[in-house]
């Protein structure tokens, strides 16, 4: 079996700061995703990547950048953290352009002071 | 747009009792939606519990069942007899036919199930 590893598990930032979240998968999956979950709300797609060096915007891409330099890794950057922001960011992967099965990481919990 | 509405907040059930977590969906763009239930156990990542791609069919896994009802646009999750190990957060999700479109799922807000002995 494989695993998706997200780092860090907890991230505390300052207002206006640029923050980077990392995700690694060893499934050899083509497609990777970043989701955001706010308290009481469903998961919302920020960015996804069909293959290495590909980037596609999701519904929530404003305020974020993403990078897929290698097939196994997909990073997400919060370009300017918002004061009192709190959310969990989930990375996921799937074999290729299919939603047959998504494998998720454990999440990165972001708090902005 | 697309949306998924499920039982909000936390559901507390005694061990061996039955469970139902409601899920209804709405879509204006997907002709043949696929429906999913995902689960997150304490300390673990989100994982697929079951999936149904055809209206009228039932999916099952680990004693849980859900029937895709196109008439009522529902996909309720049920289990006849829950166990403490079922305590987790459950997410209902909606997506397009996986053979056509990159996996973009619309998730509900999650329902926390707490089973006590």
């Amino acid at each position: 079996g494989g695993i998706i590893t997200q780092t860090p598990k907890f991230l505390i930032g300052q207002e206006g700061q640029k923050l980077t979240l990392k995700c690694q998968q060893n499934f050899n999956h083509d497609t990777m995703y970043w989701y955001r979950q706010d308290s009481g709300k469903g998961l919302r797609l920020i960015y996804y990547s069909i293959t290495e060096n590909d980037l596609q915007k999701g519904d929530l891409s404003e305020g974020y950048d993403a990078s897929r330099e290698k097939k196994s890794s997909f990073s997400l950057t919060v370009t300017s953290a918002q004061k009192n922001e709190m959310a969990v960011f989930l990375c996921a992967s799937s074999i290729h352009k299919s939603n047959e099965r998504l494998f998720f990481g454990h999440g990165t919990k972001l708090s902005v002071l | 747009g697309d949306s998924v509405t499920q039982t909000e907040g936390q559901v507390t059930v005694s061990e061996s009792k039955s469970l139902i977590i409601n899920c209804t969906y709405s879509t204006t763009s997907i002709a043949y939606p696929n429906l999913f239930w995902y689960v997150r156990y304490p300390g673990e990542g989100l994982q697929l519990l079951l999936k149904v791609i055809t209206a009228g069919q039932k999916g099952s896994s680990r004693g849980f069942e859900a029937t895709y009802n196109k008439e009522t646009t529902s996909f309720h999750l049920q289990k006849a007899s829950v166990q403490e190990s079922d305590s987790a957060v459950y997410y209902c999700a909606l997506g397009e036919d996986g053979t056509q479109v990159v996996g973009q799922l619309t998730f509900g807000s999650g329902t926390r199930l707490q089973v006590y002995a």
Side-chain angles (χ1 to χ4, degrees):
Chain A
I3 191 168
I4 295 183
T5 304
Q6 289 186 235
T7 54
K9 287 186 181 177
F10 300 96
L11 182 57
I12 300 175
Q14 304 280 348
E15 185 182 9
Q17 193 176 1
K18 188 174 178 179
L19 303 167
T20 298
L21 291 69
K22 294 188 184 295
C23 177
Q24 298 265 351
Q25 53 97 0
N26 63 1
F27 290 104
N28 199 34
H29 284 172
D30 283 346
T31 309
M32 295 185 75
Y33 312 81
W34 274 107
Y35 290 90
R36 172 179 167 134
Q37 183 171 32
D38 294 277
S39 179
K41 296 188 178 176
L43 302 177
R44 293 182 288 172
L45 184 65
I46 305 171
Y47 268 98
Y48 62 98
S49 168
I50 298 172
T51 188
E52 186 177 331
N53 292 319
D54 175 74
L55 278 180
Q56 308 284 339
K57 290 183 178 181
D59 292 338
L60 206 66
S61 60
E62 190 170 335
Y64 300 93
D65 287 327
S67 173
R68 182 94 183 273
E69 292 168 355
K70 292 190 301 184
K71 187 176 182 180
S72 61
S73 67
F74 192 32
S75 63
L76 180 73
T77 299
V78 179
T79 55
S80 179
Q82 302 297 305
K83 188 174 174 62
N84 296 324
E85 182 175 8
M86 241 163 98
V88 175
F89 292 84
L90 288 167
C91 177
S93 71
S94 60
I95 294 175
H96 45 76
K97 53 172 187 176
S98 158
N99 57 20
E100 283 285 327
R101 182 172 284 211
L102 286 178
F103 294 82
F104 281 82
H106 289 192
T108 294
K109 188 167 184 178
L110 170 68
S111 297
V112 180
L113 304 177
Chain B
D2 304 331
S3 67
V4 174
T5 303
Q6 61 181 99
T7 302
E8 280 196 21
Q10 179 164 310
V11 173
T12 304
V13 182
S14 175
E15 198 169 32
S16 80
K17 296 298 185 187
S18 64
L19 166 76
I20 182 165
I21 298 176
N22 291 328
C23 172
T24 56
Y25 67 90
S26 170
T27 177
T28 56
S29 58
I30 306 174
Y32 304 101
N34 293 179
L35 298 174
F36 306 79
W37 276 100
Y38 280 82
V39 58
R40 184 192 294 163
Y41 296 102
E44 298 184 18
L46 201 62
Q47 55 187 283
L48 180 67
L49 179 61
L50 57 86
K51 168 190 174 182
V52 179
I53 65 171
T54 304
Q57 294 206 346
K58 179 165 66 179
S60 60
S61 173
R62 305 180 204 179
F64 288 89
E65 294 181 339
T67 300
Y68 183 163
N69 189 320
K70 193 171 181 180
E71 286 69 38
T72 58
T73 63
S74 65
F75 191 53
H76 306 320
L77 183 68
Q78 302 185 72
K79 189 169 186 182
S81 175
V82 297
Q83 303 168 352
E84 272 195 276
S85 57
D86 293 326
S87 297
V89 182
Y90 293 81
Y91 295 87
C92 186
L94 161 78
E96 298 205 41
D97 181 348
T99 61
Q100 295 175 15
V101 184
V102 172
Q104 291 192 47
L105 300 185
T106 299
F107 285 87
S109 58
T111 303
R112 181 177 297 277
L113 171 64
Q114 185 66 51
V115 180
Y116 63 94

